[in-house]
Amino acid sequence: MPLVILALGIVLLFFLIVKVKLNSFLSLILVCILLAFGEGLPIDKIFPTIQKGLGSTLGGLTIVVGFGAILGKLMADSGGAQRIATTLINMFGRKNVKWAVCLTGFIVGIALFYEIGFVLLIPLVFTIAVAADIPLLEVGIPMAAALSVTHGFLPPHPGPTAISVIFNADIGKTLIYGLIIGIPTVIISGPLLYNTVKDIKTEIPEGLHNDKNFSDEEMPSFMSSILTALTPVILMAISAVGKMMGIPKDAPIMHIFNFIGDPSVALTISIAVAFYTFGYARGKTTKEIMETSEKAILTVAMILFIVGAGGALKQVLIDSGVGDYIGHLVMGANLSPLLLAWIIASVIRIAVGSATVAALTAGGIVAPLIPLTGVSPELMVLAVGAGSVIFSPPNDPGFWLFKEFFGLTVKQTVRTWCAVETAIAVCGLIGVEILNLFV
């Protein structure tokens, strides 16, 4: 029954949004209430659970998304985004610029959580699409695919890192194996997969891009633009490298690294830098900079609400025990440990939405199999990581992030974003099985 109720809830969500044309936020909250009741949550726990999911999602994302939007808007309005875009187009050529964006996403994604990297790179994607006169998804899909692969496969991301600890896997080996599998996976699920959805045409959401064509003198330099855009990446990378180098957690320098590497702090510092490089240094007044900031926040307000509601739906399914129910149900199958780990993570991902929750839940379920079967713990980490990103259902906040920023319908989001995530999961499984022949 838990699976039947879940399926009916997802069908209802699609019906409300696609057929009834109800606002996505309202649809998600309504389905949250009905699913919580149907899955057996006590009535007095339903809204606390929804509030917990919405609050925990927005608590970690509000500053990041808000400040990221301000950084992107300042970069666009100052000509910084156009400078970066034109430089990349000149370096790679218009036909190959999607590969440049894919590479950028992969590099940025190693240091950042998916949502943070997405928000930081989306203004650049918009500007490149306009400057090169190419479809938005041609550069958007490679960027998103690269970020998702690093999120699912590569430490120091929370999922792969936490599973490595649970499995007693070597994080260095996990990173190397993840890179070996991740690079071809990005190529297949990004630039190549775009060829299957060329017919989908979408426009940049209003307010997220500056259509002005800046002259060379009006734009900041490429170095100034790229360093400002990458300031949060650099700060978070410093923290990640410090952890990978084994610096003691209680060392004073590590406290500093952890502080500046926190996403909210890194974005706050970045905003201060952008106020100067994209604002005062370009001759703008404080009033003009604040007006730009206010417009950026207004633009992402509804996006934040929708993403938060996706987090609420995720929490309802976790607290009602659907994830654990599915994991133990699949555990009885007689399969290879790598395939079993992938299947359990995949099913939990579709059920609860969160890739990190799916990874951690599946990791706890299959951990006892490692000493019993002798399978490589590093490959088990990657098998779980690959399964944990599959499909990206509507109860995943990432689904709504992609849909809203790219101005897609629900059906188009399934054809694009859900297809990208599924391709990543399948390629990851294939890569793990191939590597298993040699390690």
Side-chain angles (χ1 to χ4, degrees):
M1 281 304 294
L3 296 182
V4 174
I5 294 169
L6 173 61
L8 290 174
I10 299 300
V11 170
L12 175 62
L13 180 62
F14 276 93
F15 176 77
L16 291 174
I17 295 173
V18 178
K19 294 295 184 182
V20 180
K21 306 296 183 184
L22 193 65
N23 175 272
S24 297
F25 174 73
L26 296 177
S27 299
L28 281 162
I29 294 298
L30 178 59
V31 170
C32 279
I33 296 170
L34 295 176
L35 271 179
F37 183 79
E39 296 290 2
L41 271 180
I43 294 177
D44 60 341
K45 299 291 185 184
I46 291 178
F47 267 91
T49 297
I50 291 173
Q51 291 166 358
K52 177 184 175 183
L54 194 147
S56 62
T57 301
L58 293 184
L61 276 183
T62 301
I63 291 178
V64 171
V65 172
F67 280 11
I70 293 173
L71 178 61
K73 185 69 172 169
L74 287 169
M75 184 166 65
D77 287 359
S78 67
Q82 183 179 322
R83 173 71 76 182
I84 296 172
T86 52
T87 303
L88 287 176
I89 292 169
N90 291 335
M91 288 174 60
F92 286 83
R94 292 178 182 271
K95 291 184 178 180
N96 297 317
V97 73
K98 61 185 176 184
W99 296 99
V101 175
C102 189
L103 177 62
T104 303
F106 197 82
I107 293 171
V108 168
I110 291 175
L112 301 183
F113 295 148
Y114 172 80
E115 291 87 353
I116 301 167
F118 186 95
V119 171
L120 288 178
L121 289 180
I122 199 70
L124 185 61
V125 168
F126 291 159
T127 306
I128 288 176
V130 172
D133 192 25
I134 57 178
L136 181 56
L137 291 177
E138 186 172 344
V139 282
I141 286 179
M143 178 274 286
L147 289 174
S148 184
V149 166
T150 58
H151 177 80
F153 293 0
L154 304 180
H157 282 279
T161 303
I163 308 169
S164 295
V165 173
I166 294 172
F167 291 173
N168 290 319
D170 184 286
I171 290 182
K173 283 186 180 178
T174 304
L175 182 60
I176 293 171
Y177 293 163
L179 287 169
I180 293 172
I181 296 173
I183 292 172
T185 297
V186 168
I187 294 172
I188 294 170
S189 61
L192 296 184
L193 184 138
Y194 166 73
N195 294 321
T196 66
V197 293
K198 282 184 175 181
D199 59 303
I200 297 178
K201 307 299 180 184
T202 183
E203 300 294 330
I204 297 172
E206 187 177 347
L208 290 181
H209 174 69
N210 191 324
D211 293 323
K212 179 181 176 181
N213 191 21
F214 295 87
S215 66
D216 193 67
E217 294 75 20
E218 291 177 309
M219 294 185 288
S221 69
F222 174 74
M223 190 58 65
S224 173
S225 301
I226 198 72
L227 286 178
T228 303
L230 292 181
T231 294
V233 181
I234 295 168
L235 294 175
M236 283 182 260
I238 290 172
S239 176
V241 170
K243 293 174 183 176
M244 294 176 68
M245 289 174 62
I247 299 175
K249 292 182 180 179
D250 56 354
I253 189 67
M254 203 60 217
H255 286 297
I256 296 174
F257 285 172
N258 287 335
F259 175 72
I260 65 173
D262 179 271
S264 296
V265 176
L267 263 297
T268 302
I269 295 172
S270 303
I271 289 300
V273 174
F275 280 172
Y276 175 74
T277 56
F278 293 149
Y280 298 121
R282 309 310 304 163
K284 294 190 176 184
T285 64
T286 300
K287 182 181 179 181
E288 289 174 323
I289 294 172
M290 291 303 102
E291 287 176 352
T292 298
S293 302
E294 289 170 10
K295 289 177 182 177
I297 294 296
L298 289 173
T299 300
V300 298
M302 182 50 72
I303 293 175
L304 272 173
F305 271 95
I306 293 170
V307 172
L313 180 56
K314 171 200 72 179
Q315 195 66 46
V316 166
L317 296 174
I318 293 171
D319 286 4
S320 63
V322 173
D324 289 335
Y325 170 81
I326 292 172
H328 291 292
L329 190 69
V330 179
M331 191 69 175
N334 185 23
L335 300 169
S336 75
L338 290 173
L339 179 58
L340 183 62
W342 184 87
I343 291 174
I344 291 175
S346 297
V347 177
I348 295 175
R349 155 71 158 176
I350 294 172
V352 303
S354 169
T356 301
V357 170
L360 294 177
T361 305
I365 293 172
V366 303
L369 294 178
I370 296 175
L372 293 175
T373 61
V375 68
S376 164
E378 291 79 23
L379 292 183
M380 282 289 276
V381 171
L382 297 175
V384 170
S388 73
V389 301
I390 197 169
F391 191 70
S392 184
N395 48 331
D396 172 23
F399 178 96
W400 304 100
L401 200 67
F402 191 91
K403 174 187 178 298
E404 296 301 319
F405 270 105
F406 284 108
L408 300 169
T409 65
V410 169
K411 182 179 179 181
Q412 289 172 333
T413 308
V414 171
R415 282 192 58 198
T416 53
W417 175 234
C418 296
V420 167
E421 292 287 79
T422 302
I424 291 171
V426 173
C427 289
L429 174 63
I430 294 172
V432 163
E433 293 288 6
I434 293 174
L435 271 184
N436 191 43
L437 301 174
F438 303 97
V439 299

